[in-house]
Amino acid sequence: MSFNPRSLRRYFPILDWGSKYNKDTFTNDGVAALIVTIMLIPQSLAYALLAGLPAQMGLYASILPLVAYAIFGTSRALAVGPVAVVSLMTASVVGNMALQGTAEYAAAAITLAFLSGLILLAMGLFRLGFFANFLSHPVIAGFITASGILIAASQLKHILGISAGGHTLPERIGGIIENIGDVNVITLVIGASATAFLFWVRKGLKPFLIAKGLTPRMADILAKAGPVAAVVVTTLISAVFQLQNHGVKIVGDVPRGLPPLTLPAFSGEVWGQLFGAAVLISIIGFVESVSVAQTLAAKKRQRIVPDQELIGLGASNVAAAISGGYPVTGGFARSVVNFDAGAETPAAGAFTAIGIAFAALFLTPLLYFLPVATLAATIIVAVLSLVDFSILKTTWGYSKGDFAAVLATILLTLGFGVETGVSAGVMLSIGLHLYKTSRPHVAEVGLVPGTEHFRNIKRHEVLTTPELVTIRVDESLYFANARFLEDYILDRIADDCDIKHVVLMCPAVNEIDSSALESLEEINKRLDDGGIKLHLSEVKGPVMDRLQKSHLLHDLTGQVFLSQYAAMKALGDVTKPAPSGPVAA
């Protein structure tokens, strides 16, 4: 077998951008990595907390996965690592299998990352990225909004210093209300202060620093370091006043060192319990990651390869699994920061991994007195930016079906948990698609005077002839809508004795499956029984290729015309103006 460099570059994009790497690119990637590292250290710790895992697993998930993505990923700016939604889904899934804080809990999270990685790799190798299309954008937006609310609600117990459980919003609110009398005032002061400070940092610190004379770039770096400042200050306060003795929960011992070599559980029972969730996490993570990557790539007129992105994310998750981490994907906030900071290649992610590794080696002992409330504040501020109820207003005005899907996804996610919510969202997306396409737009058309164009007789003043009915089908024909077209045509010709020809105009028909073919054969037969001929016009080449392998064209009572104008000229005189309405296509 001959060596193909292009094929190798397809699976190893590092060979492409790496061959053009230079000193300037190195400098830009290094600066971006520094900024993202500062942002990612507290985020990694916080998201591990959200997933119910030891804090160090957040750091571990931010080292080797970034290196793996730098080798296999195609986005120049995507920053891979723990993210809020995937962390929440991990906690929801693994929490049903083992008690939080146990070795079995951490092992299940590692296995979940490994399974997700295998699923993503398989999808990438077999080019199955189109499966992500089963999650419509409105449903994804609804799910992320609901997840943001759930995540913020889950962290309120840490802000208040109380115990409260639950996987759904009613359960979490109920737990908080039930234990509200146990609020730790010191924890509340730390958590509320950190939250308020981080909100101000996000919106007001950069303009404040620029007003004080700092350059926009330096002001941006300091603003991104806001969470680190909150961590440092609250940790110092906690250590000086020994707040753990006053009921303030702290992070405690965080093992120092590089990620250990870990292996997933190879138990059929465990894999069976995790597989469905791993599929959902893989698809959600892929959709979120690719959306961010495509948005950032478009700004620099770059392109990503979705199927290769599957391989990059799959490799990242496998890397997380063998280095003590948990499922990862491309994060929106840190990717935007990476892009704005000037990252030019995925090497910025590898440099970030070096920074996180340095923190794991030398900084973890300093985190002992870090209040958990500070990490909770970091999560709340990060995830509330995900909450966007404007999607409800947008879909209500544009599509009531999409609105119903979004609302149902939000309510089901809040009321029954993330797995139920996203599963319902997928089923609603598919169900709505099937419903819409099962009732395709079909229009009777006529000739626009003075042209060779045909338009809907209910919308335009057009010319028709009593003996000829032209029906334009605006959808591919398949099993779900074949009977609808059959009923439409038979209803149209009923009790109309003038009709001698029916033409199916097919410019929008990209596919005719076997069920639709049988329906067309039945339509041809039923029309023939009534003395009416069936004709086709404007059939696309690939569709005609398929039809030529069937009996339809041999048995067709009429003809196949290249254009609808040719059909009308051949079959009848256009003499009768049809009623008109508002002008539209």
Side-chain angles (χ1 to χ4, degrees), residues 27 39 83 94 217 221 227 232 236 295 329 420 579:
T27 302
M39 176 185 183
V83 299
V94 178
R217 190 171 183 81
I221 292 174
V232 171
L236 286 173
T295 300
T329 192
T420 301

Side-chain angles (χ1 to χ4, degrees), residues 88 93 183 418 450 578:
L88 175 66
V93 174
V183 169
V418 291

Side-chain angles (χ1 to χ4, degrees), residues 467-520:
E467 295 184 349
L468 174 65
V469 172
T470 299
I471 295 172
R472 189 187 69 212
V473 184
D474 294 334
E475 184 70 65
S476 290
L477 298 175
Y478 73 118
F479 64 91
N481 62 24
R483 185 60 183 269
F484 175 85
L485 178 64
E486 187 176 335
D487 291 341
Y488 180 94
I489 292 175
L490 296 179
D491 287 343
R492 174 61 184 88
I493 66 169
D495 302 322
D496 192 337
C497 299
D498 293 331
I499 299 174
K500 296 293 185 288
H501 303 278
V502 171
V503 182
L504 280 185
M505 186 178 172
C506 306
V509 178
N510 298 313
E511 176 72 23
I512 297 176
D513 73 359
S514 297
S515 298
L517 179 64
E518 289 184 10
S519 284
L520 290 177

Side-chain angles (χ1 to χ4, degrees), residues 34-35 38-39 197-198 200-202 205-206 208-210 212-230:
L34 175 63
I35 296 173
I38 292 171
M39 176 185 183
F197 172 73
L198 291 173
W200 176 74
V201 163
R202 178 168 288 231
L205 182 56
K206 184 176 178 180
F208 174 79
L209 293 174
I210 292 174
K212 292 296 182 181
L214 268 70
T215 64
R217 190 171 183 81
M218 182 56 67
D220 189 56
I221 292 174
L222 292 176
K224 297 300 185 297
V228 175

Side-chain angles (χ1 to χ4, degrees), residues 23 35 147 174 200 206 255 294 300 423 468 485 533 553:
K23 183 179 178 181
I35 296 173
S147 296
W200 176 74
K206 184 176 178 180
Q294 287 177 331
K300 288 191 175 181
S423 299
L468 174 65
L485 178 64
K533 291 185 177 181
L553 297 184

Side-chain angles (χ1 to χ4, degrees), residues 52-76:
L53 296 164
Q56 68 270 17
M57 289 186 71
L59 295 176
Y60 298 163
S62 304
I63 300 176
L64 204 54
L66 277 77
V67 177
Y69 185 82
I71 296 171
F72 296 102
T74 62
S75 171
R76 302 297 178 96

Side-chain angles (χ1 to χ4, degrees), residues 242-268:
Q242 294 292 298
L243 295 184
Q244 75 275 15
N245 296 328
H246 299 278
V248 175
K249 188 176 179 182
I250 60 175
V251 170
D253 285 315
V254 179
R256 178 176 177 176
L258 294 174
L261 178 64
T262 55
L263 290 174
F266 290 98
S267 163

Side-chain angles (χ1 to χ4, degrees), residues 249-330:
K249 188 176 179 182
I250 60 175
V251 170
D253 285 315
V254 179
R256 178 176 177 176
L258 294 174
L261 178 64
T262 55
L263 290 174
F266 290 98
S267 163
E269 181 181 355
V270 173
W271 282 39
Q273 288 178 287
L274 292 175
F275 184 78
V279 171
L280 292 178
I281 286 175
S282 300
I283 294 178
I284 289 288
F286 172 63
V287 170
E288 181 179 354
S289 180
V290 166
S291 299
V292 175
Q294 287 177 331
T295 300
L296 298 179
K299 292 183 178 182
K300 288 191 175 181
R301 298 189 179 184
Q302 297 168 348
R303 62 183 295 271
I304 66 165
V305 182
D307 288 324
Q308 182 61 28
E309 283 297 289
L310 284 165
I311 294 174
L313 292 174
S316 297
N317 276 278
V318 171
I322 64 174
S323 59
Y326 68 100
V328 297
T329 192

